[in-house]
Amino acid sequence: MVKPRTFGYFFESAGKSLLRNSWMTLASISTVAVSLLVLGIFLVVAANINAVAANVEGQLQVTAHLATLSAAERGRLEAEIKAIPGVTDVRFVPQSEAWQRLLEWYGDNQDFLAGWEEENPLRDSFEIRADVSHRVPEVAAAVTVLAGVEEVLWGREIVEQLLAITRMMRLVGIGLMVALALAALFIIANTIRMAIFARRREIGIMRYIGATNWFIRWPFVIEGLVLGLLGGMMAASVLAWGYYLAVRALVQAIPFWPWVQPWPFLQQLALLLLSIGVVIGILGSGLSLRRYLDA
Amino acid sequence: MLELSNVTKAYPNGSVALNQVNMSVERGEFVFVVGASGAGKTTLTKLLLREEKPTSGKITINGKNIAKLRPHEVPYLRRSMGVVFQDFRLMPTWTVEENVAFAMVVVETAPRLIRRRVAEVLELVGLTNKHAQLPSQLSGGEQQRVALARAIVNKPMLLLADEPTGNLDPETSWGIVKLLLDINSTGTTMLMVTHAKQIVDTLRKRVVELESGCLTRDERCGIYHG
């Protein structure tokens, strides 16, 4: 077992080596930082695309046009609709409100509606929301068969297309993310491998002197950890700062767009990038050493 | 202390580097290993350091068959001996003091003892005033002294010197050889692989000659060419 004070030596040795090989240290940290930054930027974009998709999906609803019902009948029907699995919100829209909406919709071009307001041709309706977007069709089917419901509108084709698009966006996003993460991993691991290759003679000397594999490995692993941590910190800082400024500007430019809010998203993102940096740093140096430690 | 019995080393390409070598070295002996290039001297060093395993035969150091060591036991074998190479093999970015101290750090000696012993050894090799310099700031002879200091800092029983004067001019070489003799006089067994005819002929120590992988000569007070 290694004595505790020897760990002090490992840290000291890792620190000295990082300083003495300052160019290699700088190159490695920059590589880690740039790779993680690219990955981070993509994650930010992906999170925002996901937010848009979720926002669009969240607006999907089922509209049930009603026959002429008494208040009691309507109350009963509302209770029945609320009992359908997946239904989260049921809102009654009286025909007068529907008419108002129609007027607002046409804005300045509402002239052709003049004369209709007395005999409002629109019906009372319920607007129904589902907990998850893909349950909208199910909910619509269940509402259709209820007594008192004359017609159910849910934009079957639009909803189905929209769901297909959001699903595709997510899949492509995940695919790109995995590819990018692998590329970052490869680049970082390769940088560390080069750094270790440059020091293979040192490793050979340590072995002649009788250093055990773990004794050789520890300082390198600590170095990898520090490189990963510093690179991750750089990437996270640049990204957090950049995104914060970007969202501040964008919220003013496009106020109703569902931007992912910086908090706590950035905190999670920073933690993720730091963890990736540290894990790759440790694994990269630990594994790259193997070929110089065999036999 | 060191015994080779019927040691053969054949490489996968078919070349036989050592062929049925038998040899025994007593504690405190000083032995020169000589022979032309390709005679098997380097292979012998590699076998003793357990960088290679013999194809057949037995190598015992202090009663232990080192061919049978498991990989994790090899570092402990290497700690029991000191090694000096022709190309010094110092850590280029470490100071003289750090290079020497490293051999003691590896065996987890207390820092206080390391400082004391390193100072002692640097004085012995005459480099006290260069303790904070880097190898690149030293002459070849000085670098070999650092390597020597590192090799003996843990007081090994066996010192393996693979052409320690190969890169040095004659005068500097003699300085190193004198140090080796001093170290040997304190009881350390010395195995020196060399091409330095003048040194071998002058010292008249035991000479073992290898020729095409076979041990062809073993003389108590030998010279370079038999």
Side-chain angles (χ1 to χ4, degrees):
Chain A
M1 227 12 240
V2 175
K3 290 179 186 165
R5 69 156 171 267
T6 307
F7 272 94
Y9 162 80
F10 291 153
F11 278 96
E12 189 190 323
S13 163
K16 276 185 187 165
S17 154
L18 284 168
L19 291 176
R20 283 168 178 170
N21 302 298
S22 51
W23 277 108
M24 213 37 156
T25 305
L26 220 62
S28 309
I29 293 177
S30 315
T31 310
V32 174
V34 170
S35 310
L36 291 181
L37 185 63
V38 172
L39 180 66
I41 289 173
F42 181 77
L43 287 175
V44 166
V45 173
N48 273 290
I49 289 178
N50 191 39
V52 172
N55 185 277
V56 170
E57 286 174 6
Q59 285 173 16
L60 295 178
Q61 62 180 21
V62 176
T63 306
H65 292 294
L66 309 180
T68 313
L69 300 174
S70 69
E73 284 169 327
R74 207 175 65 217
R76 208 165 38 244
L77 180 58
E78 187 171 346
E80 280 173 355
I81 296 174
K82 276 185 176 154
I84 296 171
V87 168
T88 52
D89 185 40
V90 180
R91 188 171 167 274
F92 177 63
V93 181
Q95 59 174 169
S96 55
E97 190 183 330
W99 182 253
Q100 277 309 312
R101 283 190 193 173
L102 196 66
L103 290 179
E104 277 166 30
W105 176 261
Y106 283 103
D108 294 336
N109 308 312
Q110 52 180 259
D111 298 349
F112 75 99
L113 291 172
W116 282 93
E117 58 267 75
E118 290 308 314
E119 47 186 304
N120 186 355
L122 303 176
R123 283 167 290 182
D124 290 341
S125 62
F126 277 123
E127 285 176 357
I128 304 153
R129 286 179 191 274
D131 52 356
V132 280
S133 53
H134 63 79
R135 283 182 98 161
V136 167
E138 254 175 68
V139 170
V143 174
T144 311
V145 298
L146 295 177
V149 173
E150 283 202 332
E151 189 189 15
V152 172
L153 298 177
W154 57 282
R156 171 191 290 268
E157 282 179 10
I158 295 176
V159 169
E160 281 173 352
Q161 272 177 19
L162 204 68
L163 289 181
I165 291 172
T166 53
R167 196 181 309 127
M168 174 113 118
M169 267 160 52
R170 288 198 176 107
L171 276 179
V172 170
I174 290 172
L176 278 174
M177 203 168 69
V178 170
L180 218 59
L182 284 177
L185 221 112
F186 177 77
I187 293 171
I188 296 170
N190 222 30
T191 308
I192 294 173
R193 265 175 59 164
M194 268 166 50
I196 287 176
F197 179 77
R199 288 164 65 190
R200 65 196 183 286
R201 257 182 70 89
E202 285 184 29
I203 296 167
I205 295 169
M206 290 180 179
R207 296 182 60 217
Y208 279 122
I209 292 169
T212 57
N213 284 352
W214 270 109
F215 195 94
I216 297 171
R217 203 177 274 134
W218 268 111
F220 280 97
V221 167
I222 295 169
E223 279 183 53
L225 185 149
V226 172
L227 293 177
L229 195 67
L230 289 180
M233 272 163 68
M234 271 171 69
S237 318
V238 170
L239 198 67
W241 182 67
Y243 187 67
Y244 177 74
L245 290 183
V247 166
R248 216 171 53 173
L250 286 166
V251 160
Q252 279 172 8
I254 321 174
F256 300 113
W257 195 260
W259 302 110
V260 176
Q261 286 308 301
W263 193 261
F265 171 62
L266 285 179
Q267 192 191 16
Q268 295 159 351
L269 192 68
L271 261 175
L272 179 72
L273 292 185
L274 280 183
S275 323
I276 296 179
V278 167
V279 169
I280 298 180
I282 292 176
L283 285 184
S285 47
L287 294 179
S288 307
L289 270 178
R290 270 203 320 204
R291 54 178 301 196
Y292 302 108
L293 295 180
D294 285 347
Chain B
M1 128 121 258
L2 165 66
E3 191 157 358
L4 279 77
S5 41
N6 298 318
V7 172
T8 295
K9 175 68 189 175
Y11 287 103
N13 65 7
S15 71
V16 179
L18 286 179
N19 193 1
Q20 296 289 323
V21 172
N22 288 292
M23 149 185 176
S24 160
V25 178
E26 295 302 318
R27 188 178 297 273
E29 259 193 292
F30 193 123
V31 182
F32 285 118
V33 179
V34 302
S37 297
K41 307 189 299 294
T42 305
T43 300
L44 178 66
T45 324
K46 283 184 173 170
L47 288 177
L48 292 176
L49 280 169
R50 233 322 274 278
E51 223 181 306
E52 303 271 3
K53 277 189 197 179
T55 312
S56 64
K58 217 166 113 180
I59 303 174
T60 30
I61 295 180
N62 282 328
K64 198 156 190 185
N65 184 0
I66 66 167
K68 289 248 162 68
L69 289 181
R70 279 179 292 185
H72 72 267
E73 294 174 312
V74 173
Y76 300 93
L77 163 77
R78 292 177 181 164
R79 290 174 192 184
S80 72
M81 52 176 105
V83 209
V84 181
F85 295 97
Q86 181 176 3
D87 56 359
F88 321 134
R89 302 202 187 171
L90 299 174
M91 297 293 198
T93 57
W94 295 10
T95 65
V96 166
E97 203 168 25
E98 287 169 338
N99 265 288
V100 177
F102 184 67
M104 295 186 85
V105 175
V106 162
V107 295
E108 300 190 65
T109 312
R112 189 171 41 85
L113 298 178
I114 295 182
R115 275 192 296 277
R116 192 192 305 159
R117 174 69 180 153
V118 169
E120 210 175 282
V121 179
L122 284 181
E123 196 187 335
L124 182 75
V125 300
L127 288 175
T128 304
N129 56 350
K130 306 229 165 164
H131 68 99
Q133 300 203 3
L134 294 176
S136 56
Q137 297 169 315
L138 303 178
S139 70
E142 286 168 336
Q143 290 188 50
Q144 194 59 295
R145 284 162 188 268
V146 178
L148 204 51
R150 181 181 65 190
I152 60 168
V153 76
N154 283 330
K155 304 182 179 168
M157 284 179 293
L158 172 68
L159 186 69
L160 201 61
D162 189 0
E163 302 199 34
T165 61
N167 275 341
L168 306 175
D169 62 66
E171 201 180 326
T172 315
S173 296
W174 273 110
I176 295 294
V177 170
K178 282 211 179 78
L179 275 174
L180 291 175
L181 287 169
D182 285 346
I183 294 162
N184 175 239
S185 70
T186 63
T188 306
T189 311
M190 189 76 60
L191 202 69
M192 176 168 162
V193 175
T194 189
H195 283 296
K197 177 178 187 322
Q198 204 206 347
I199 291 171
V200 177
D201 291 351
T202 310
L203 291 185
R204 287 303 196 115
K205 297 281 187 185
R206 180 175 167 193
V207 174
V208 169
E209 184 170 0
L210 289 171
E211 218 178 303
S212 308
C214 297
L215 199 151
T216 52
R217 181 162 66 100
D218 187 347
E219 291 174 347
R220 202 122 294 275
C221 301
I223 55 168
Y224 192 79
H225 286 292

